[in-house]
Amino acid sequence: MTPTSGLARKKTREEVARATADAKPAIQDAGRKIGEVAHEAADQARAAAQGVRDGWNESHHGPLDLNTASETQLDDLPGIDKRTARRIIAGRPYHGKHDLLDKGIVSSDEYDRIRDDVTTK
């Protein structure tokens, strides 16, 4: 090994260390962005899976069971919004559909609009 090759290795090592240090913030930022995109993709995949479940469950014909219907299914009932759908879910279990009124979950008008579309099992 010649003295020149030792100096060349040292210089190369220093240049690579400097280049790595300079690139580190960009690499870390890219890693964060990849993580964010992966998180968003996972959220979208979960939403798609829930959509499949909801669509599968909605394909039945007949009244919705208040004790098992999803928020999306309840939200699709006439005059029921997401907030009311969440209240219906929070009020479970129901022994009869009239429990919606007895427990103060829905108004009389709301109940009149959905009473033929819901049941309890």
Side-chain angles (χ1 to χ4, degrees):
M1 170 163 54
T2 65
T4 310
S5 64
L7 289 174
R9 276 197 308 261
K10 183 178 179 185
K11 183 178 177 185
T12 299
R13 181 176 161 187
E14 289 171 355
E15 288 173 357
V16 170
R18 203 171 19 259
T20 301
D22 291 345
K24 185 177 180 180
I27 293 169
Q28 289 173 324
D29 185 49
R32 276 190 294 280
K33 287 178 182 174
I34 289 169
E36 291 168 4
V37 169
H39 183 70
E40 178 64 25
D43 285 346
Q44 293 298 325
R46 281 190 289 276
Q50 183 62 47
V52 168
R53 282 190 294 274
D54 292 347
W56 188 265
N57 291 334
E58 289 173 10
S59 66
H60 77 285
H61 301 288
L64 287 175
D65 182 359
L66 292 170
N67 290 314
T68 60
S70 71
E71 180 181 325
T72 302
Q73 290 171 311
L74 294 167
D75 184 38
D76 286 342
L77 292 170
I80 302 299
D81 58 15
K82 287 194 178 298
R83 183 175 172 212
T84 305
R86 286 187 206 115
R87 282 198 321 264
I88 292 170
I89 291 170
R92 292 175 177 166
Y94 299 100
H95 300 291
K97 59 186 175 181
H98 200 269
D99 286 355
L100 289 174
L101 283 174
D102 296 341
K103 292 182 176 186
I105 306 292
V106 298
S107 69
S108 295
D109 289 339
E110 289 170 321
Y111 181 76
D112 288 343
R113 284 192 293 266
I114 66 169
R115 71 173 166 224
D116 295 333
D117 298 323
V118 297
T119 189
T120 58
K121 295 181 184 175

